[in-house]
């Protein structure tokens, strides 16, 4: 893997203390003192060892596309930064504030699936599969739940950023690890994300050797793929990125790792003006004013606002977004593609697991 991990060594003593707590907690689960609950339907966990930026949402959406036409699918997320509490099952009237930006994004994009949020994933699964929830659910995708060990998923998928190898990282707060790198032993399938599209088979093999896979594990490699632009507020056809060649773009985004997005847009646009916010940033009135001010500085006949689907979920219903700007706001979808035809192995593994573990009953085994 590539890249160097920025470590805040002054915070390392706090990482030691954090590590003690995490290791003790994992040990209690490993020896059975803390109970992992199994559920009699396919449960797939998608997560990582680090905080933010590995591409969980695009990979979750990949699984949705893979499974939604054959199985009744549900996504269960924590609903980070939502204003509601407890279990919430998304509906056509749900607001972003009710379920969080990423669940809201998935609920809008995939209206045929169930999307729910609950910080307590065991309770969330029980509620989701109850008669009052979505009892027709056949498969559950647990979004960002690798450390939520009270649920014992049938299949664990671990995402690792190509540019930030976990082997060179440190625990929070000095680094970005939520738990020691040895936690990858719990994964069934590992995916190295955000790889260069030209990553060679030789480099893939070197990464395999570095990861030190266990006998039951397999590793895959994916890269980011950008789709066609579409207007956020207007009903108009999608357009290729090439339409940006004569445009001056105000790039408005609050995601964990904006650098690849800036690089991609920069390759196509005449000029970009980045307006960057923190991950999951809740836009306020001052932000709306700043966006408008930056937009009006651009040439009137060549300007355009570009954002991600995740950011769009926080903009689309914002009461203080200037009406004048809405026709100029476009969204750039982000998807993933497997390298070296890895999907020919990955896809059948997912489908085989779901088919072998499907059951009619959705009652917890305890």
């Amino acid at each position: 893997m590539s890249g160097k991990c920025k470590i805040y060594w002054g915070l390392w003593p706090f990482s030691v203390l954090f590590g003690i707590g995490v290791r003790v907690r994992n040990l209690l689960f490993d020896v059975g003192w803390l109970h992992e609950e199994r559920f009699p339907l396919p449960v797939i966990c998608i997560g990582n060892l680090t905080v933010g930026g590995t591409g969980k949402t695009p990979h979750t959406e990949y699984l949705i596309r893979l499974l939604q036409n054959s199985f009744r699918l549900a996504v269960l997320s924590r609903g980070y930064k939502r204003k509601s509490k407890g279990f919430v099952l998304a509906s056509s009237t749900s607001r972003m504030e009710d379920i969080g930006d990423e669940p809201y994004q998935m609920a809008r994009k995939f209206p045929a699936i169930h999307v729910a949020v609950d910080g307590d994933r065991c309770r969330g699964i029980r509620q989701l599969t109850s008669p009052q929830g979505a009892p027709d659910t056949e498969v559950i995708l647990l979004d960002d739940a690798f450390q939520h060990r009270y649920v014992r998923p049938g299949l664990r998928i671990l995402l690792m950023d190509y540019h930030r190898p976990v082997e060179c990282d440190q625990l929070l707060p000095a680094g970005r690890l939520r738990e020691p790198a040895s936690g990858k032993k719990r994964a069934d399938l590992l995916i190295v994300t955000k790889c260069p599209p030209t990553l060679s088979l030789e480099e893939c093999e070197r990464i395999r050797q570095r990861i030190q896979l266990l006998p039951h594990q397999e590793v895959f490699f994916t890269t980011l793929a950008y789709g066609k632009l579409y207007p956020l507020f207007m009903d108009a056809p999608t357009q290729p990125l090439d339409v940006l060649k004569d445009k001056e773009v105000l790039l408005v985004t609050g995601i964990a790792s904006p650098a690849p997005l800036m690089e991609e847009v920069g390759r196509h646009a005449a000029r970009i003006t980045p307006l960057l916010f923190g991950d999951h940033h809740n836009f306020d009135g001052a932000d709306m004013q700043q966006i408008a001010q930056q937009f009006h500085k651009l040439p009137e006949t060549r300007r355009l606002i570009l954002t991600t689907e995740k950011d769009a979920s926080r903009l689309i219903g914002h009461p203080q977004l200037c009406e004048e700007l809405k026709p100029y706001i476009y969204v750039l979808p982000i998807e993933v593609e497997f390298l070296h035809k890895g999907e020919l192995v990955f896809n059948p593994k997912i489908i085989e697991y779901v088919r072998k573990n499907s059951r009619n009953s959705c009652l917890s085994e305890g």
Side-chain angles (χ1 to χ4, degrees):
M1 290 187 226
S2 174
K4 293 183 178 181
C5 300
K6 185 176 181 180
I7 307 298
Y8 299 93
W9 290 108
L11 298 174
W12 185 75
F14 299 101
S15 296
V16 173
L17 296 175
F18 176 71
I20 292 172
V22 170
R23 288 181 174 91
V24 169
R25 179 180 183 271
N26 278 334
L27 178 62
L28 293 178
F29 276 109
D30 291 341
V31 301
W33 287 9
L34 291 178
H35 179 60
E36 292 181 295
E37 188 169 355
R38 298 174 184 266
F39 292 85
L41 77 167
V43 177
I44 302 174
C45 168
I46 307 103
N48 56 24
L49 296 178
T50 58
V51 290
T54 56
K56 291 186 299 295
T57 299
H59 285 83
T60 301
E61 291 185 351
Y62 182 94
L63 292 171
I64 293 172
R65 293 187 184 94
L66 176 64
L67 298 172
Q68 67 174 345
N69 292 330
S70 301
F71 305 95
R72 195 60 174 155
L73 191 62
V75 176
L76 179 60
S77 177
R78 175 176 52 154
Y80 183 62
K81 282 196 173 183
R82 63 188 172 113
K83 295 182 179 179
S84 61
K85 295 186 181 296
F87 176 81
V88 178
L89 179 61
S91 69
S92 58
T93 60
S94 294
R95 302 174 305 158
M96 185 277 293
E97 293 84 358
D98 300 327
I99 58 177
D101 54 5
E102 290 169 345
Y104 183 78
Q105 171 185 325
M106 288 184 275
R108 289 185 67 239
K109 287 181 70 174
F110 305 101
I113 73 168
H114 302 301
V115 176
V117 295
D118 198 333
D120 182 335
R121 306 302 172 89
C122 291
R123 179 181 63 192
I125 294 176
R126 292 191 208 101
Q127 293 271 61
L128 186 57
T129 55
S130 72
Q132 295 74 34
D136 61 338
T137 297
E138 295 176 321
V139 187
I140 294 178
L141 303 181
L142 288 182
D143 177 38
D144 195 13
F146 197 77
Q147 285 74 38
H148 194 98
R149 296 194 59 182
Y150 288 102
V151 174
R152 180 67 180 267
L155 189 68
R156 290 187 177 101
I157 301 175
L158 179 66
L159 309 180
M160 300 184 295
D161 187 344
Y162 171 85
H163 299 283
R164 192 177 178 98
V166 297
E167 294 83 5
C168 77
D169 212 339
Q170 293 289 325
L171 289 167
L172 292 166
R176 290 174 61 182
L177 287 177
R178 295 170 166 177
E179 63 173 300
S182 59
K184 66 179 183 286
K185 67 185 179 184
R186 300 197 306 276
D188 300 295
L189 305 176
L190 298 89
I191 302 179
V192 181
T193 69
K194 301 184 178 180
C195 297
T198 56
L199 188 71
S200 68
L201 287 169
E202 291 76 17
E203 178 65 14
C204 290
E205 183 57 33
R206 283 194 288 271
I207 293 173
R208 283 191 183 92
Q209 296 297 324
R210 188 181 303 172
I211 292 174
Q212 298 180 334
L213 297 173
L214 297 176
H216 73 281
Q217 294 178 323
E218 289 193 57
V219 64
F220 299 87
F221 302 85
T222 61
T223 188
L224 294 178
Y226 295 90
K228 292 186 176 182
L229 305 175
Y230 65 87
L232 181 57
F233 293 98
M234 298 187 302
D235 184 14
T238 60
Q239 301 185 59
L241 275 168
D242 290 342
V243 302
L244 300 178
K245 63 182 180 181
D246 297 321
K247 299 291 185 180
E248 297 209 14
V249 174
L250 176 63
L251 181 62
V252 178
T253 184
I255 57 177
S257 302
L261 175 64
M262 292 171 58
E263 182 180 346
E264 179 68 15
V265 175
R267 280 199 291 264
H268 295 273
R271 187 167 73 95
I272 66 168
T273 301
L275 189 54
L276 307 180
F277 299 90
D279 196 18
H280 298 278
H281 179 74
N282 286 322
F283 297 107
D284 58 21
D287 298 328
M288 294 299 105
Q289 290 181 7
Q290 186 180 11
I291 292 171
Q293 289 170 358
Q294 292 295 326
F295 175 75
H296 288 123
K297 290 180 181 179
L298 302 179
E300 187 171 346
T301 59
R302 300 173 58 198
R303 60 193 181 188
L304 179 146
I305 298 174
L306 190 60
T307 192
T308 68
E309 291 181 306
K310 179 175 170 179
D311 297 299
S313 68
R314 287 177 266 123
L315 289 171
I316 192 168
H318 202 291
Q320 294 173 284
L321 178 61
C322 180
E323 289 291 330
E324 179 192 353
L325 302 188
K326 290 183 177 181
Y328 298 92
I329 301 178
Y330 282 76
V331 181
L332 179 60
I334 301 174
E335 300 178 1
V336 294
E337 291 180 354
F338 281 79
L339 299 180
H340 307 298
K341 299 183 178 180
E343 72 277 5
L344 299 181
V345 178
F346 180 84
N347 292 1
K349 283 188 174 294
I350 300 298
I351 294 171
E352 180 185 19
Y353 161 72
V354 172
R355 286 181 173 159
K356 281 186 175 181
N357 293 275
S358 294
R359 298 186 184 182
N360 294 325
S361 172
C362 288
L363 298 176
S364 169
E365 293 179 345

